[in-house]
Amino acid sequence: KAGVTQTPRYLIKTRGQQVTLSCSPISGHRSVSWYQQTPGQGLQFLFEYFSETQRNKGNFPGRFSGRQFSNSRSEMNVSTLELGDSALYLCASSLDGEETQYFGPGTRLLVL
Amino acid sequence: EDQVTQSPEALRLQEGESSSLNCSYTVSGLRGLFWYRQDPGKGPEFLFTLYSAGEEKEKERLKATLTKKESFLHITAPKPEDSATYLCAVQAWDSSYKLIFGSGTRLLVRP
């Protein structure tokens, strides 16, 4: 069974731009969660989607948003990028959220 | 506030030298505790899920245990390929399914 895939793997953007990251969950998984990983803050929860609905949201500004499609694929968007948004963005999928979450390889975003 | 603390931050072992990593947690109600392994530049790889105190799980040289306040990841006779960062996370019995992560333990196993 194919694992979680994320595209693109690497991105370089400049301050003020916006970016969209994509995540395809494991087949059959309906919950997709997003996390931000930085050396200083570690792994922090951004939001979780289930059946095209955002169920939970972490403590991040409104510049961070996401959505989920009917095939469970998910995208997250960051608008008006700041230097501090440079991080590894990880997507994780699970059957329904309660079960074990499996992570993708991540998208490394560098904001210049 | 739900919190996870891992110790030590870093650990250096000789090949074959067994040791344990600690994960202490404070959570309103534990739904599950998860161990992941993360190699540099990659996403976390799932190792174990533990649900209740007294539960133990094993996989090759790794064994995870759980009490009401902490979890241990025991590494028996480690090999250089076990070098990685080991992450512990908890999921609480609230309306959120988020994982709360510790800062990880960086393990280096020297040949």
Side-chain angles (χ1 to χ4, degrees):
Chain A
K1 196 181 252 190
V4 178
T5 59
Q6 292 186 245
T7 56
R9 293 294 313 280
Y10 304 94
L11 267 178
I12 300 176
K13 293 286 187 178
T14 56
R15 282 187 305 172
Q17 287 187 311
Q18 75 166 19
V19 66
T20 299
L21 313 182
S22 180
C23 170
S24 292
I26 292 171
S27 177
H29 285 191
R30 295 194 295 165
S31 170
V32 173
S33 297
W34 288 89
Y35 295 83
Q36 181 196 65
Q37 186 174 32
T38 60
Q41 299 297 319
L43 271 144
Q44 293 186 294
F45 172 76
L46 281 158
F47 28 65
E48 186 244 350
Y49 286 86
F50 180 81
S51 293
E52 302 179 64
T53 301
Q54 184 183 88
R55 285 199 298 195
N56 302 291
K57 185 170 169 34
N59 295 325
F60 280 82
R63 300 185 296 106
F64 292 82
S65 63
R67 59 177 176 168
Q68 187 180 35
F69 302 95
S70 58
N71 61 358
S72 294
R73 190 176 70 85
S74 177
E75 289 181 347
M76 70 163 279
N77 183 78
V78 188
S79 63
T80 318
L81 284 166
E82 301 177 359
L83 296 179
D85 297 333
S86 295
L88 181 66
Y89 289 89
L90 292 159
C91 163
S93 78
S94 66
L95 283 171
D96 59 6
E98 186 171 345
E99 301 293 332
T100 298
Q101 296 181 25
Y102 296 89
F103 284 82
T107 294
R108 183 161 298 281
L109 172 64
L110 177 62
V111 182
L112 301 176
Chain B
E1 183 184 345
D2 299 336
Q3 195 171 355
V4 177
T5 303
Q6 291 189 246
S7 62
E9 287 187 14
L11 182 62
R12 288 187 176 186
L13 299 174
Q14 284 296 132
E15 185 173 0
E17 179 187 2
S18 301
S19 187
S20 296
L21 313 182
N22 178 262
C23 171
S24 298
Y25 63 90
T26 304
V27 65
S28 50
L30 183 69
R31 184 196 299 265
L33 184 142
F34 304 84
W35 282 99
Y36 291 87
R37 166 196 170 126
Q38 187 174 27
D39 293 299
K42 297 188 176 181
E45 174 189 344
F46 169 70
L47 293 173
F48 304 108
T49 305
L50 301 167
Y51 292 106
S52 56
E55 191 173 359
E56 299 182 351
K57 295 236 176 118
E58 285 188 71
K59 178 182 177 181
E60 296 181 353
R61 296 177 293 282
L62 300 177
K63 179 180 176 181
T65 62
L66 181 64
T67 72
K68 289 185 178 180
K69 293 183 179 180
E70 57 191 350
S71 176
F72 291 94
L73 184 65
H74 307 278
I75 304 177
T76 303
K79 298 182 178 182
E81 53 263 41
D82 294 322
S83 297
T85 295
Y86 290 84
L87 296 164
C88 171
V90 299
Q91 192 178 58
W93 276 111
D94 57 16
S95 59
S96 162
Y97 295 102
K98 69 180 180 184
L99 294 178
I100 302 165
F101 281 87
S103 55
T105 293
R106 295 189 312 277
L107 174 65
L108 176 64
V109 182
R110 294 174 290 184

